[in-house]
Amino acid sequence: QVQLVESGGGLVQPGGSLRLSCAASGSISGLIFSGYTMAWYRQTPGKQREFVADITSGGRTNYADSVKGRFTISRDNAKNTVYLQMNSLKPEDTAVYYCNRAIWARQNTNWGQGTQVAVSS
């Protein structure tokens, strides 16, 4: 069993920045984690969880149009951790942010508790 723990959320003013972290623990080694495509998703009340960004084992990245140019996903395989640097934040970025292995996200399984991001003046 692999646990994913998100952190780094908080309240920030429009135009501000936050860096989210997602640490994987449990039955996983750095070698195994390095082979995963990892993704960030977000969810607001009453809406479905939506894709934000993902990063392959080779470091190739993909972003939702709504965050392209503002968010950057990265990973540190030695730490079994994936990051989401969020710049130029907008009120519409307010959501609970989740990370997951991409295939588990598509299977809608193994979600963590998420981390709340609120963008407001």
Side-chain angles (χ1 to χ4, degrees):
Q1 184 92 19
V2 176
Q3 292 81 43
L4 299 164
V5 180
E6 302 92 343
S7 62
L11 174 63
V12 63
Q13 291 186 339
S17 298
L18 282 174
R19 189 196 195 202
L20 307 184
S21 299
C22 170
S25 63
S27 303
I28 188 169
S29 68
L31 181 61
I32 294 173
F33 178 82
S34 66
Y36 290 172
T37 293
M38 296 296 296
W40 283 95
Y41 284 74
R42 65 188 182 186
Q43 188 172 27
T44 54
K47 293 187 177 182
Q48 285 193 332
R49 199 173 272 139
E50 66 172 359
F51 170 80
V52 174
D54 65 20
I55 183 167
T56 68
S57 58
R60 188 173 69 247
T61 58
N62 182 40
Y63 298 92
D65 287 343
S66 59
V67 307
K68 204 170 291 185
R70 300 188 297 121
F71 290 10
T72 302
I73 188 171
S74 62
R75 66 191 301 161
D76 184 340
N77 292 329
K79 297 181 178 180
N80 287 358
T81 300
V82 63
Y83 304 96
L84 186 68
Q85 177 67 44
M86 305 187 298
N87 298 328
S88 302
L89 282 161
K90 304 175 181 180
E92 52 263 43
D93 295 318
T94 295
V96 178
Y97 284 72
Y98 301 88
C99 76
N100 208 346
R101 184 185 179 190
I103 189 171
W104 293 338
R106 289 192 293 272
Q107 295 169 346
N108 198 28
T109 187
N110 208 55
W111 294 101
Q113 85 288 350
T115 186
Q116 175 73 55
V117 171
V119 184
S120 175
S121 55

